[in-house]
Amino acid sequence: MKVRGAGPGAAAGGARRAGPEPPGGPGADGARLPGLLRRMHLFRSSSYDVRLEGAGGSLPRIQGIRWTPLLDSESSLDYGHSITQASSEKIWRAGKLLFAHLSASRPGLIRDHKHHLRHHRQCCSGKELVDWLLGAGAAVQTRGQAVGVGQVLVDSGVLTHVRQEWHFQDKETQFYRFAELELSPEPGAGPRDPEELLEALGFLAQLGPDALLSMALRKPPAQRTQDELELIFEELLHIKAVAHLSNSVKRELAAVLMFEGHQRAGTVLFSQGDKGTSWYIIWKGSVNVVTHGKGLVATLHEGDDFGQLALVNDAPRAATILLREDNCHFLRVDKQDFNRILKDVEANTVRLKEHGKVVLVLQKDLQGGSGQAASARSSRYLVMAGTPEKILEHLLEFMRLDATLYDPVDTLLGDFLLTYTVFMPTSQLCRALLHHFRAEPLEGSEQDKASYALRKRRKILRLVSQWVLLYGRLLQGDRSTTALLQNLADLASRDPQLGGLCQEQGQERRRPRALENGDGSVSPQPKARSSGMWLGSPEEPILDSTCALRAQDKVPYEIFRADHSCLVAVLPVNAAVRDVLRALAPRLRRDREHVLVRVNSAGERAVLPQDALGVFTALGLNERLFVVSRDELGSLTPHPEQLGPHAGSSDTLDLISSKDLASHLTDYDWNLFKSIHQVEMIHYIVGPHKFREVATANLARVLRRFNELQFWVATELCLCPELGRRAQLLRKFIKLAAHLKEQKNLNSFFAVMFGVSNTAVTRLAKTWERLPHKIRKLHSALERMLDPSWNHRVYRLAVAKLSPPIIPFVPLLLKDMTFIHEGNRTLAENLINFEKMHMMAKTVRVLQRCRGHAHAPLSPLRSRSPHRPEDAKAVRISTCSEQSLSVRNPVSTWAYLQHLRAIDSQKELLRLSRELEP
């Protein structure tokens, strides 16, 4: 089913909805995200499908998830535990292994210690334990990771501090004991397998960040270190209850938040009529909101908050809050700290007014960059809100002449250029820039006025050059942009002090380097006149960019009749439905009215409205377009090829090693990924109703490929009838996922792992039993990356340590963008919420960071020797080994991976699965 989770039905008791409804948007969209987020925490028992949703063929607004719960009888088949389901029993088993290896390898580490005239029997210091963990295996590589492992052991009772302190410290003077009686090995137990130790360390290291965060939150605020405050701040960035707050407020919250936990469902947190003393954020679990006379009025879940209104209004609690489940955790802000933060925010906020109305809101940058001088930090203000004109005016006033899109400290220019289309039409921006360029200062001496005007015009030329550098050829065809560039070129050519600068901007465009716009193209050679100083002509080829699609590019539309015959029309990517019907009209019967219909593999039909744009490139997996008359609608059936293959392609896969398969997939995916323009992510989330002249076809292709890959994996396994070969195929896919992860192709890694975790595959018990123990352990280790708890913290920490190039998990980026968009209003008191624009731009910059290299991640295909033909029979025999099965022509392998066929019906996959193993 598609997830359309609704938020709480009422905001009683000071509890509010998870996020304000987007202005101008339907209420259902505002309520969809909380349900989506809750479903994301059910990964291990679910099948995911990124859906391209959108009414009537419009470009999709939000990523949905098709969620298929495991049957009760199937849910026990779990060959890798999710971190969220990690039991204390598993931690104790890991602790037991750790203790056994420690006792065997360093028997003298656990001994009697004397400190401050006190004797501590049979213990080790925190520093000694950290040193041993660092040398015990590759799973623990830093002292911070080792401290995290120690904290997990303390939290679970495996380790205890000699003075019963609850946080683990990496110090010579802090001593810890193992629970020896419980951890001692059984009599007669043989030597331990070193691989078991590595697996145990890997599991504990995975839990470490959560344990350190919990420990930091349990500390009194005055005792938190700077690193712990930063850890809490990073956590707040992913909590939707505070998504609408500025980063400076989040930092203040990090310093005062307190942890509060309750064990039993039914516990009353506070009652209706009580005095309001704290604001609560649900960190784990859920609560019910109950009022007198109405009973249950709402249920709040992880990331929601309650109790704020009573503090703001200084009123009694308006509802009773009851724990809905056991073991709920909350983040609490007490009233005194809450009011102080509000006062601090107000004290550091400047509001500029014109004609009695606020036009710009600035806030002092209390954090600043690490490399900034203290004086620079204290005088720097960040734009929080304002009118579009005033935000632009502030930008031009304070930007540097060498400002760039990706300045890590001063992000205002990049934030503005990446997001201006959300709140300011391009024509309005062009008019404003031209007005500022022509404007003359009214006060000061003639020399001062001339100097000020020159400096401002140089800034405008710099802004325009960075704007064109970012958007590139997307600006071609826009009349207002072309007119602006023509006017600026003419005006600058009359001023000898600006003419040279124009030439510099043109040379910057001519440098043969990949554009920041992410389409993988090299800057064209512009003509040295007028607007060509910035833009090349439409006739010039875009070098090395066979993949990127623009709104005006023409592509073949394949459209089927009711009898399944195919019509082809070459039309622009963003063609409207009426244009498609007009192009097909000569080949249709003139005496009937025809409509364009989108049909999926299940036979579900959607008649597309006449003004819907880009309907062909927005099609999902196994969806097709049909042109039919009204009376043919009822009898319309899917095309046979939409139902997917009837036989698997294991014969073909036998000829390709998992490493070669991963390399070809990574090369193909890199071409798709680098074609995504950064602003496509913003256009995709904000919606086509606002951007009718832009395309998000490149992003849609990446999402469709993600679905195609995960269902291809499940399809191949469900269409492999022989048990032995099916087990070998499953083994190949698990190794494929490992190679994809190694090559930093995380998007396809997630897709393959989701395919392996599909319900139709996880229920194949006999197939999983055939897997070697080593492959099962590999699968379990890979699954840790998929853990969705704490907003995919495991994945985010792993990506932060990688250097580019990287192909990230794109659906999660879109989830982050949706989270920001639907959790924050674009307009507040008739001002643009620029803090929201900053958060959106920061997420979009992930694309630029991941593409910080011209070539695909770890592409061994470029340096490998040509394939040598070998005997096919010999290759078939060697299927069990992964030694170079690279006899298949790389061209044919590439063609195979470009046209993967998959069954996307979960019902059909389950039917096939039950036929294989009833």
Side-chain angles (χ1 to χ4, degrees):
M1 63 180 177
K2 290 183 183 177
V3 174
R4 298 183 184 277
R16 64 176 178 81
R17 287 188 178 275
E21 183 175 310
D29 287 340
R32 203 181 309 175
L33 185 61
L36 184 148
L37 294 172
R38 289 198 292 277
R39 296 297 190 189
M40 289 295 283
H41 288 260
L42 297 173
F43 161 72
R44 194 53 196 97
S45 59
S46 309
S47 170
Y48 278 73
D49 177 18
V50 178
R51 304 292 290 174
L52 308 184
E53 296 185 357
S58 61
L59 291 178
R61 288 200 64 240
I62 185 172
Q63 295 310 298
I65 293 176
R66 179 188 294 168
W67 177 67
T68 310
L70 288 174
L71 302 178
D72 292 339
S73 60
E74 298 164 352
S75 59
S76 60
L77 183 65
D78 187 358
Y79 292 97
H81 290 276
S82 155
I83 302 303
T84 55
Q85 299 168 330
S87 63
S88 58
E89 182 183 347
K90 188 170 182 181
I91 296 175
W92 271 81
R93 285 202 303 270
K96 192 171 184 176
L97 276 168
L98 215 66
F99 179 72
H101 280 277
L102 176 61
S103 301
S105 62
R106 290 284 303 277
L109 198 65
I110 300 175
R111 62 188 187 278
D112 293 346
H113 287 79
K114 183 178 179 181
H115 180 65
H116 284 185
L117 304 180
R118 298 192 65 174
H119 289 273
H120 304 292
R121 296 184 59 79
Q122 293 302 294
C123 57
C124 63
S125 73
K127 182 178 183 302
E128 289 175 326
L129 186 56
V130 167
D131 290 340
W132 180 80
L133 288 170
L134 287 172
V140 179
Q141 298 178 342
T142 66
R143 300 195 76 83
Q145 283 182 301
V147 170
V149 170
Q151 188 63 50
V152 173
L153 297 176
V154 170
D155 288 347
S156 61
V158 173
L159 272 183
T160 55
H161 192 277
V162 294
R163 294 196 303 272
Q164 305 303 311
E165 293 182 6
W166 47 265
H167 59 281
F168 183 86
Q169 298 182 64
D170 179 14
K171 293 183 178 179
E172 287 275 14
T173 56
Q174 301 297 322
F175 303 107
Y176 300 88
R177 292 192 184 99
F178 281 89
E180 290 188 51
L181 292 178
E182 293 87 345
L183 295 174
S184 297
E186 295 83 359
R192 298 284 182 175
D193 182 1
E195 285 194 10
E196 287 184 321
L197 174 64
L198 293 178
E199 187 176 3
L201 283 174
F203 170 69
L204 294 173
Q206 214 69 46
L207 296 174
D210 290 340
L212 289 175
L213 178 60
S214 298
M215 183 264 291
L217 286 164
R218 286 180 170 92
K219 273 188 176 183
Q223 296 180 16
R224 291 171 186 165
T225 66
Q226 193 59 45
D227 287 342
E228 289 168 341
L229 291 175
E230 192 65 26
L231 191 64
I232 298 171
F233 169 72
E234 290 291 333
E235 177 68 12
L236 291 177
L237 292 177
H238 304 296
I239 294 178
K240 61 178 177 285
V242 297
H244 64 289
L245 301 176
S246 68
N247 284 346
S248 59
V249 173
K250 291 188 183 84
R251 289 192 181 278
E252 292 209 46
L253 285 175
V256 300
L257 278 171
M258 296 291 291
F259 174 88
E260 183 174 322
H262 296 276
Q263 298 300 317
R264 294 186 178 278
T267 301
V268 177
L269 205 58
F270 56 73
S271 298
Q272 186 171 347
D274 288 353
K275 183 179 180 181
T277 58
S278 301
W279 171 39
Y280 292 88
I281 299 167
I282 304 174
W283 200 32
K284 176 186 176 185
S286 58
V287 300
N288 287 330
V289 183
V290 179
T291 63
H292 299 328
K294 293 184 178 179
L296 179 64
V297 295
T299 297
L300 304 177
H301 298 266
E302 182 180 313
D304 293 336
D305 69 305
F306 55 89
Q308 186 180 139
L309 292 180
L311 303 188
V312 173
N313 300 329
D314 200 20
R317 297 295 193 189
T320 298
I321 300 293
L322 293 165
L323 266 63
R324 185 169 174 263
E325 56 189 276
D326 291 338
N327 197 26
C328 290
H329 296 168
F330 303 93
L331 304 179
R332 190 187 77 233
V333 181
D334 293 334
K335 184 174 182 178
Q336 181 179 354
D337 293 320
F338 183 85
N339 291 333
R340 179 185 57 77
I341 289 174
L342 290 181
K343 289 179 181 178
D344 287 348
V345 170
E346 193 61 31
N348 290 296
T349 300
V350 176
R351 290 177 172 81
L352 305 181
K353 294 184 177 181
E354 288 184 358
H355 308 295
K357 293 183 178 180
V358 177
V359 293
L360 190 66
V361 180
L362 305 173
Q363 194 173 97
K364 186 176 288 187
D365 181 14
L366 301 176
Q367 185 68 20
S370 57
Q372 288 179 287
S375 58
R377 289 200 300 269
S378 62
S379 61
R380 185 165 171 261
Y381 281 81
L382 304 176
V383 178
M384 306 304 295
T387 63
E389 294 81 3
K390 278 297 170 183
I391 294 172
L392 176 61
E393 186 178 312
H394 179 83
L395 169 61
L396 292 174
E397 186 69 27
F398 291 97
M399 72 176 279
R400 303 191 314 273
L401 289 175
D402 62 346
T404 63
L405 287 164
Y406 303 109
D407 190 317
V409 177
D410 188 0
T411 63
L412 181 57
L413 175 62
D415 294 346
F416 181 87
L417 291 178
L418 281 167
T419 64
Y420 81 90
T421 52
V422 176
F423 57 86
M424 191 179 197
T426 299
S427 57
Q428 182 183 352
L429 173 62
C430 291
R431 289 195 301 270
L433 288 172
L434 194 57
H435 169 76
H436 283 293
F437 195 91
R438 288 172 169 166
E440 296 286 349
L442 301 177
E443 299 177 356
S445 65
E446 292 300 319
Q447 183 178 354
D448 289 343
K449 289 193 289 186
S451 176
Y452 179 84
L454 176 63
R455 184 174 179 81
K456 192 167 189 178
R457 288 164 184 163
R458 289 172 66 90
K459 289 180 180 180
I460 291 172
L461 292 176
R462 180 66 182 179
L463 184 150
V464 170
S465 73
Q466 294 296 300
W467 178 30
V468 174
L469 190 64
L470 173 64
Y471 284 80
R473 307 295 283 274
L474 294 182
L475 296 176
Q476 280 186 344
D478 183 84
R479 294 180 180 179
S480 57
T481 306
T482 304
L484 171 69
L485 299 180
Q486 177 73 55
N487 282 319
L488 289 180
D490 291 345
L491 291 169
S493 64
R494 301 172 196 166
D495 188 335
Q497 293 178 296
L498 294 176
L501 185 63
C502 267
Q503 293 295 330
E504 288 177 20
Q505 311 297 357
Q507 289 170 6
E508 183 172 0
R509 289 285 299 161
R510 286 193 288 271
R511 291 192 191 108
R513 60 187 180 92
L515 293 176
E516 280 90 339
N517 65 12
D519 66 0
S521 62
V522 174
S523 303
Q525 298 291 329
K527 298 178 181 178
R529 67 174 187 274
S530 66
S531 62
M533 193 65 68
W534 286 279
L535 293 176
S537 69
E539 293 76 22
E540 295 174 30
I542 300 181
L543 304 178
D544 212 18
S545 181
T546 58
C547 212
L549 291 174
R550 295 177 299 164
Q552 63 269 35
D553 289 342
K554 292 187 175 182
V555 296
Y557 280 54
E558 292 183 350
I559 301 168
F560 295 89
R561 292 190 176 102
D563 62 1
H564 294 167
S565 60
C566 183
L567 302 173
V568 178
V570 179
L571 296 165
V573 168
N574 254 21
V577 168
R578 64 170 55 88
D579 297 328
V580 177
L581 292 173
R582 190 179 299 119
L584 297 176
R587 289 177 276 178
L588 302 174
R589 292 183 57 175
R590 298 178 182 272
D591 58 340
R592 294 185 181 180
E593 179 190 359
H594 289 84
V595 292
L596 200 62
V597 186
R598 184 180 65 237
V599 181
N600 65 15
S601 60
E604 297 170 346
R605 302 180 289 270
V607 177
L608 304 178
Q610 293 281 315
D611 58 350
L613 303 175
V615 292
F616 185 71
T617 52
L619 288 174
L621 177 62
N622 288 344
E623 288 185 338
R624 299 291 186 272
L625 291 178
F626 285 77
V627 58
V628 295
S629 60
R630 293 280 181 182
D631 56 356
E632 291 175 316
L633 268 175
S635 59
L636 193 57
T637 59
H639 192 281
E641 70 178 19
Q642 291 181 253
L643 304 179
H646 299 290
S649 56
S650 56
D651 288 345
T652 299
L653 289 170
D654 283 348
L655 301 177
I656 316 170
S657 72
S658 57
K659 187 171 184 179
D660 283 354
L661 202 57
S663 300
H664 280 95
L665 279 173
T666 297
D667 270 9
Y668 181 75
D669 295 342
W670 180 250
N671 285 332
L672 290 180
F673 175 62
K674 73 179 181 180
S675 73
I676 302 173
H677 195 292
Q678 291 180 64
V679 296
E680 276 191 65
M681 289 185 64
I682 294 173
H683 296 161
Y684 189 93
I685 294 301
V686 175
H689 60 281
K690 192 167 182 67
F691 307 108
R692 301 188 67 83
E693 299 303 322
V694 299
T696 57
N698 302 299
L699 183 55
R701 285 191 304 179
V702 171
L703 296 175
R704 189 164 54 250
R705 177 64 170 184
F706 180 89
N707 283 338
E708 182 179 68
L709 198 55
Q710 66 161 319
F711 279 106
W712 167 70
V713 170
T715 299
E716 291 295 336
L717 288 167
C718 290
L719 289 177
C720 188
E722 299 175 23
L723 178 60
R725 293 192 67 185
R726 190 163 62 249
Q728 290 297 335
L729 192 57
L730 178 58
R731 177 178 180 267
K732 181 184 285 284
F733 284 137
I734 292 172
K735 296 191 74 172
L736 169 64
H739 288 304
L740 288 168
K741 182 172 178 280
E742 181 186 357
Q743 295 181 13
K744 297 186 284 188
N745 182 356
L746 300 178
N747 200 56
S748 286
F749 163 77
F750 269 80
V752 171
M753 289 298 293
F754 282 1
V756 169
S757 299
N758 188 291
T759 313
V761 176
T762 57
R763 67 169 302 280
L764 298 172
K766 294 179 182 178
T767 306
W768 285 91
E769 287 170 2
R770 288 286 191 101
L771 287 181
H773 178 64
K774 185 175 180 180
I775 296 298
R776 288 192 192 183
K777 285 171 54 176
L778 174 62
H779 177 249
S780 179
L782 294 175
E783 266 202 327
R784 292 173 189 155
M785 177 77 89
L786 274 61
D787 177 50
S789 63
W790 311 109
N791 197 25
H792 291 268
R793 185 201 303 278
V794 175
Y795 165 79
R796 295 181 193 276
L797 289 174
V799 171
K801 296 174 184 176
L802 296 178
S803 57
I806 306 163
I807 304 178
F809 181 28
V810 176
L812 185 59
L813 284 178
L814 288 173
K815 178 193 158 199
D816 290 344
M817 289 290 289
T818 304
F819 179 93
I820 294 167
H821 178 54
E822 298 201 355
N824 300 272
R825 294 184 182 275
T826 301
L827 278 174
E829 300 177 358
N830 293 321
L831 299 177
I832 301 302
N833 178 5
F834 201 75
E835 179 71 5
K836 173 180 176 176
M837 303 302 119
H838 170 71
M839 290 188 288
M840 293 178 75
K842 183 178 179 180
T843 303
V844 167
R845 286 190 186 94
V846 172
L847 293 183
Q848 187 267 342
R849 186 184 88 80
C850 290
R851 294 190 295 222
H853 197 281
H855 300 296
L858 293 178
S859 181
L861 294 175
R862 291 190 169 87
S863 58
R864 194 174 51 195
S865 58
H867 295 274
R868 293 176 304 163
E870 296 181 15
D871 180 58
K873 184 177 179 181
V875 172
R876 177 67 55 79
I877 293 172
S878 66
T879 299
C880 296
S881 104
E882 282 293 333
Q883 294 180 352
S884 192
L885 302 184
S886 52
V887 301
R888 187 173 176 83
N889 189 312
V891 176
S892 58
T893 300
W894 182 267
Y896 170 74
L897 292 176
Q898 277 188 300
H899 300 94
L900 297 177
R901 297 194 63 202
I903 298 170
D904 70 335
S905 167
Q906 190 64 30
K907 184 177 179 181
E908 176 64 12
L909 289 172
L910 282 170
R911 185 190 69 79
L912 292 169
S913 176
R914 292 189 181 103
E915 285 184 358
L916 294 174
E917 296 184 25

